[in-house]
Amino acid sequence: MNVQKRNFIIIWISNVLVAGTMTMIMPFLSLYIETFGDYSDAYVQKWAGLIFGATFVTAFIMSPVWGRVADKYGFKPILLVNGFGIATSVFLMGFVNSVETFFILRLLNGVVSGFIPTSLAFISSQTAKEEAGKMLGTLQMGSVTGTLFGPLLGGLLADAFGFQYTFVITSISVIIAALLVLFGIREQIRVKSTKAIPYSRKSILSGLLHHRLMLNVMIVTSLIQIGNFSIQPLLSLYVAQLTEAKDVAFLAGLTFSATGLGNLLFARQWGKLGDDIGYEKVLSLLLVLSFVFIIPQAFVTELWHLIILRILFGIAIGGMIPLTTALIRREAPVHIQGEVMGYNTSFRFLGNIIGPMFGGILSAFIGISSVFIVTGLLFLLGFAFLFYANRRPGIDFEDFLASEEQAQKS
């Protein structure tokens, strides 16, 4: 087995473990907070929202930093720092006794939550441009698999062993992932071109914000996450409106997992299609399909209708992250790809932060059904941004960066 294939298999398995761990606590987050004291429902709900979102805030800040460090020292050290960092913070969460301490640990968890984005950047750097979509789509299947089964496993562990031991067990799974990276990964040295320009952080950020294609890809990345996360906190309430069954929690979990199932089935195929006909074309198609599949969800009258539409929506949205990552792989100079992908990850986390708040505020004013409609319009907006970016030929991103660097020096 060659080095690239072995690296890919190890990273795929590690992503399953880490993604599963990061979602294991979601089913019992509110219940765990209630063990800290005798709190009102409103207090628990407020802190559950804050603690859930805390990780994304610090991850949003740190992603470009980890990317820049990875460009300088390699991806493997960053994977190890993040892996063991996640394991430590999750382990300590099992021994907290106040919401404030739990909140701080979730913030710290966000600082080191770059394992999966860094693994995407690592595999991207080791993959030829012409097959980046297929490989990143396959890698996406690993993190989706973990996300699908993580909440289910977390709930089962909490029922069987209690909250504290669940945190301990999940931290052990991340340690296993980090050890796999430590002893199994062999990072191939990326040879920098003698013409490679040492771009400053200011030049890279300025280049991203002013280059038409790259800026619009970053905006689309945020819109994808806003659209995906806006409805997630409300899904169980919507399911309760559609059924009179007693096991609403199970049915809500099933509906939630339907999106992941669609994602899992087609992520690789969308990536391969992007390699063949162009990432922009396929991404544009998926944005339109997401609009087509999410709008009817606002008008369903039966739960099984919603589940089928969630599967179709998952099929459409599943290829978007691999395609945006592959597009950046194509455009960004090799020696700064980690930092550029770090900024793209920050835009993803920004969407993760905005999405739940956006959905909650919107549903409070005009109902849950309206969230599906407005979210659908966001996907159309993303299509418009991408269409604008590709309407006329643009400047090569590397050339654009060089001009930005020269302008900074002059």
Side-chain angles (χ1 to χ4, degrees), residues 208-234:
L208 289 172
L209 295 178
H210 292 93
H211 186 267
R212 187 170 68 248
L213 176 59
M214 294 297 277
L215 174 61
N216 281 287
V217 168
M218 300 285 173
I219 293 172
V220 167
T221 298
S222 276
L223 291 174
I224 292 167
Q225 296 302 102
I226 293 171
N228 196 23
F229 273 71
S230 62
I231 197 62
Q232 286 189 7
L234 307 168

Side-chain angles (χ1 to χ4, degrees), residues 212-394:
R212 187 170 68 248
L213 176 59
M214 294 297 277
L215 174 61
N216 281 287
V217 168
M218 300 285 173
I219 293 172
V220 167
T221 298
S222 276
L223 291 174
I224 292 167
Q225 296 302 102
I226 293 171
N228 196 23
F229 273 71
S230 62
I231 197 62
Q232 286 189 7
L234 307 168
L235 206 55
S236 58
L237 298 175
Y238 195 56
V239 169
Q241 293 177 11
L242 296 173
T243 180
E244 296 180 358
K246 294 181 180 179
D247 50 348
V248 174
F250 170 75
L251 292 172
L254 183 65
T255 308
F256 179 86
S257 297
T259 307
L261 177 62
N263 195 314
L264 187 63
L265 292 173
F266 277 83
R268 176 184 170 88
Q269 282 72 18
W270 290 127
K272 189 175 185 304
L273 185 61
D275 293 332
D276 294 337
I277 68 172
Y279 305 124
E280 294 93 333
K281 290 180 181 177
V282 180
L283 187 56
S284 297
L285 171 64
L286 294 183
L287 286 164
V288 173
L289 287 177
S290 296
F291 168 78
V292 170
F293 292 141
I294 200 169
I295 292 295
Q297 295 177 40
F299 305 103
V300 296
T301 56
E302 299 287 342
L303 181 58
W304 68 271
H305 294 161
L306 179 63
I307 291 173
I308 291 174
L309 286 168
R310 294 300 292 176
I311 292 173
L312 293 172
F313 177 68
I315 288 172
I317 204 168
M320 292 185 184
I321 296 303
L323 287 169
T324 53
T325 306
L327 203 158
I328 291 170
R329 163 74 178 92
R330 187 192 73 193
E331 295 292 323
V334 174
H335 64 288
I336 62 165
Q337 279 187 5
E339 184 170 1
V340 174
M341 288 188 183
Y343 281 112
N344 188 54
T345 302
S346 287
F347 274 82
R348 281 176 60 189
F349 284 127
L350 181 63
N352 293 356
I353 295 167
I354 295 173
M357 294 189 295
F358 173 78
I361 293 171
L362 198 63
S363 65
F365 281 99
I366 48 179
I368 295 177
S369 295
S370 64
V371 179
F372 291 104
I373 297 171
V374 177
T375 295
L377 296 176
L378 288 179
F379 287 117
L380 274 189
L381 182 62
F383 170 80
F385 276 116
L386 202 58
F387 178 80
Y388 168 75
N390 291 300
R391 189 174 57 178
R392 58 183 187 273

Side-chain angles (χ1 to χ4, degrees), residues 2-13:
N2 63 41
V3 174
Q4 285 185 330
K5 187 174 182 181
R6 185 179 67 181
N7 285 349
F8 183 84
I9 292 171
I10 290 171
I11 289 295
W12 195 93
I13 295 170

